[in-house]
Amino acid sequence: MELEIKELHVSIDEKEIVKGVNLKVRSGEFHVIMGPNGSGKSTLAKSIMGHPKLKVTQGEILADGESVIGMSADKRAKMGIFLQFQNPIEIEGVGFVNFLHTAKRSVVQGDVDVNQFMGEIKQLTEKLKITNGIVGRSLNQGFSGGEKKKAEILQLAVMKPKLAILDEPDSGLDIDAIKTVAENINEIAAKHQMSILIITHYSRVLSYMKPQFVHVMANGRIVAEGSTELIEKLEKDGYESFTNKG
Ligand code: ADP
Ligand code: MG
């Protein structure tokens, strides 16, 4: 899927958080947004998915040329947009596998063979090294930080969206888990020709991935763009060299 964001302004409770962002992710491309805390990265991600608390006050979000502003998150999911939350919520009484099956059926708008589905989940839990039986539990209930992140990647693999937006898929993970998560994202993306937008503030996860485009966000704006050499510059100079430009 091609995502095009034009001059986007987004507010929460009358406060402008995203202040004029332009971004184009062509079909199958892998982009990264980096930037300090509070720069509006998660808000940008949520506005692409259609979070109800956010208000787009100006600009456009186009998915394969079609404006999604005003569309429900559910409709956007059906178009093939997927957002992995930075802080997934816990829902008691909703079984993880049940939730996934329902979500998958909703997005494909048809039946999903249960046996095949369970087989896929089993394979994915092994691949993701999910050892603690999260599959039998309620959605994110009592999941450790790492398990939540892995559960979201499992969800990504099952949903096979056209555009995956992953908000800090690496936060709270130990080094081994970061590698596992990164490798699984790589594999899923390559297999399904997904467009990928990853948000992170650490470069470690990127040592296992090969993004083609890097964007630096600060203060609600994209302040620098380039390829992976920009990550090296960030590692060396920190975000300050970008944020001090005004
Ligand atoms: P990032 O993901 O880059 O760390 P966020 O998009 O989460 O940044 O937040 C950007 C700014 O928006 C921060 O100043 C934050 O306090 C504010 N913000 C985020 N969510 C809310 C909310 N629900 N209500 C009010 N302000 C918010
Ligand atoms: Mg964030």
Side-chain angles (χ1 to χ4, degrees):
M1 172 180 281
E2 177 172 293
L3 170 73
E4 189 171 8
I5 295 174
K6 291 184 192 167
E7 231 4 77
L8 188 72
H9 292 251
V10 182
S11 295
I12 306 175
D13 298 335
E14 311 289 314
K15 187 178 161 217
E16 188 167 71
I17 310 287
V18 174
K19 303 168 182 169
V21 163
N22 291 289
L23 181 71
K24 191 167 185 171
V25 179
R26 291 180 193 82
S27 197
E29 282 180 357
F30 180 176
H31 291 241
V32 169
I33 300 180
M34 301 183 77
N37 278 321
S39 53
K41 304 182 299 297
S42 293
T43 304
L44 176 66
K46 287 179 190 165
S47 68
I48 300 168
M49 197 68 228
H51 194 285
K53 257 202 94 168
L54 303 177
K55 196 162 166 224
V56 172
T57 54
Q58 207 184 306
E60 247 323 336
I61 304 174
L62 304 168
D64 282 338
E66 186 179 352
S67 173
V68 299
I69 291 170
M71 255 184 213
S72 67
D74 177 61
K75 185 115 187 273
R76 296 185 208 204
K78 284 184 178 133
M79 286 178 79
I81 305 174
F82 174 94
L83 171 65
Q84 175 234 305
F85 289 102
Q86 184 177 349
N87 302 303
I89 48 160
E90 303 188 3
I91 306 176
E92 202 180 340
V94 177
F96 178 63
V97 171
N98 235 327
F99 162 80
L100 272 184
H101 192 240
T102 305
K104 178 80 188 177
R105 271 172 41 213
S106 158
V107 163
V108 303
Q109 299 177 61
D111 266 339
V112 175
D113 182 82
V114 176
N115 284 331
Q116 208 179 324
F117 182 78
M118 291 310 292
E120 190 182 4
I121 300 246
K122 183 163 178 288
Q123 207 182 25
L124 286 166
T125 48
E126 283 161 15
K127 261 194 182 158
L128 282 159
K129 305 192 176 115
I130 299 173
T131 50
N132 227 353
I134 60 167
V135 160
R137 289 195 250 158
S138 288
L139 184 58
N140 290 326
Q141 189 102 64
F143 288 18
S144 70
E147 286 167 346
K148 278 183 193 168
K149 294 287 166 178
K150 286 184 172 181
E152 295 265 318
I153 303 306
L154 196 153
Q155 202 178 318
L156 169 72
V158 167
M159 301 307 281
K160 302 175 187 67
K162 295 184 185 137
L163 167 68
I165 305 160
L166 309 174
D167 194 355
E168 298 198 12
D170 49 344
S171 75
L173 294 181
D174 61 45
I175 296 167
D176 293 338
I178 286 179
K179 189 159 181 274
T180 304
V181 160
E183 285 169 354
N184 274 274
I185 295 170
N186 283 339
E187 189 184 325
I188 298 160
K191 207 162 146 189
H192 305 287
Q193 295 261 314
M194 251 173 230
S195 308
I196 303 236
L197 184 58
I198 291 193
I199 295 167
T200 182
H201 40 220
Y202 300 111
S203 56
R204 185 181 286 280
V205 71
L206 302 174
S207 56
Y208 304 110
M209 300 181 134
K210 295 272 167 294
Q212 295 153 298
F213 303 93
V214 179
H215 313 266
V216 180
M217 191 166 179
N219 249 315
R221 294 185 181 90
I222 307 275
V223 293
E225 285 177 305
S227 56
T228 43
E229 92 279 354
L230 198 51
I231 300 171
E232 287 152 34
K233 185 171 159 38
L234 277 173
E235 277 284 274
K236 210 163 109 275
D237 304 337
Y239 287 123
E240 261 181 51
S241 59
F242 296 100
T243 50
N244 284 349
K245 277 183 194 161

